[in-house]
Amino acid sequence: MKKILFTSIITAGLLSACATPSYNYKPELKEISKPPIGQVATANLGDHMLTQGMMVQQDAIYIDGDYNMSGNTVSSGYFAKQGEDEKYEQYRISNDVGAGKVAKGILRDPPALLAIRKEDNALCVMTIYNYVSSCTTEVPYQKTNWATANKNSFQQTLLYNGKVGNKINIGYREFSSDTARPAFNNDVEYDLSQSKEIGYKGALIDVIDADNRQIKYKVTKGFDK
């Protein structure tokens, strides 16, 4: 059951201020590789063992849980920064994987984005008519960094699929523009009685321990570029 927190609203009335959307924040396209080379790591069944590629790194806020803001319902997930002005930091509502949502309440104007009011760090809803409403300090949020995919993104991953006898199964996946490429998906078995080192597309991994629930390992080399 989702938890709904009815918050006290700081602003008087439904519409508190008029603001202009800002688009002056530029996310960065960065190369990522997790976990770091040489670091001992653990992956559970179905988890990524190695992730490497180009992703969009951007400032964001994360909301954990569902909250009622004067009729609008804010649901958990990430909201990426799109800009700021003297009064507000602005965070967009998107359909990206992992993004949070804002559902319009009855007799409420459609929401356009979330904003943090700088004077008191209150979380606000900005409508499509550029009005800031429903500001409250009682909805907790965390400022963080969020990696997402765009049309220029490319990502390679190895996943742990479990162990039967002395053999472990590793899945390989490629993602382009946040979409899996079926022709480049593959599942491979490795016999640990033959070697504790496994490799795929240039990536090398030393297996320290493995069972049918998790694997303990160390990446010694990433994917070939």
Side-chain angles (χ1 to χ4, degrees):
M1 179 182 294
K2 293 182 178 180
K3 65 175 181 179
I4 302 294
L5 176 65
F6 291 89
T7 63
S8 60
I9 304 302
I10 294 174
T11 53
L14 176 61
L15 303 178
S16 61
C18 187
T20 302
S22 298
Y23 301 95
N24 53 5
Y25 174 76
K26 301 296 183 183
E28 298 180 79
L29 189 65
K30 289 187 175 181
E31 184 173 358
I32 62 169
S33 183
K34 300 185 294 185
I37 301 297
Q39 177 177 299
V40 176
T42 301
N44 293 320
L45 190 66
D47 284 350
H48 290 185
M49 295 176 60
L50 173 62
T51 300
Q52 188 175 310
M54 300 297 296
M55 299 288 285
V56 176
Q57 292 277 358
Q58 55 202 328
D59 291 341
I61 57 173
Y62 180 76
I63 296 175
D64 186 8
D66 296 348
Y67 299 90
N68 186 299
M69 293 180 63
S70 191
N72 296 309
T73 300
V74 180
S75 59
S76 57
Y78 291 92
F79 298 84
K81 188 173 184 178
Q82 73 170 31
E84 64 180 293
D85 56 25
E86 292 182 357
K87 293 184 177 180
Y88 300 98
E89 295 178 7
Q90 300 177 9
Y91 296 85
R92 62 186 178 86
I93 302 168
S94 71
N95 292 318
D96 294 337
V97 176
K101 305 297 179 186
V102 181
K104 183 180 80 70
I106 299 175
L107 302 179
R108 300 291 187 264
D109 290 332
L113 53 87
L114 292 182
I116 295 176
R117 191 166 57 194
K118 292 182 177 180
E119 66 181 34
D120 58 1
N121 293 318
L123 187 68
C124 309
V125 174
M126 183 183 291
T127 75
I128 61 172
Y129 303 112
N130 298 341
Y131 281 103
V132 176
S133 65
S134 309
C135 293
T136 177
T137 57
E138 295 188 19
V139 173
Y141 59 85
Q142 176 185 358
K143 288 188 176 182
T144 185
N145 192 269
W146 185 28
T148 60
N150 71 359
K151 63 181 180 180
N152 297 315
S153 301
F154 176 72
Q155 182 178 329
Q156 296 170 282
T157 63
L158 292 177
L159 299 92
Y160 185 55
N161 291 332
K163 181 183 180 185
V164 177
N166 287 322
K167 295 182 179 180
I168 60 172
N169 186 281
I170 304 296
Y172 173 77
R173 305 289 184 268
E174 284 187 5
F175 298 85
S176 180
S177 304
D178 201 26
T179 303
R181 305 169 65 190
F184 294 88
N185 291 353
N186 197 15
D187 292 319
V188 184
E189 279 192 343
Y190 296 88
D191 190 342
L192 297 182
S193 65
Q194 299 296 318
S195 175
K196 295 289 187 179
E197 183 181 64
I198 63 175
Y200 195 89
K201 284 188 174 289
L204 296 175
I205 293 176
D206 286 337
V207 178
I208 299 171
D209 191 24
D211 57 32
N212 206 35
R213 294 179 300 155
Q214 65 178 21
I215 184 170
K216 186 177 181 181
Y217 63 98
K218 179 171 62 177
V219 178
T220 58
K221 181 178 177 296
F223 294 110
D224 288 338
K225 296 183 179 180

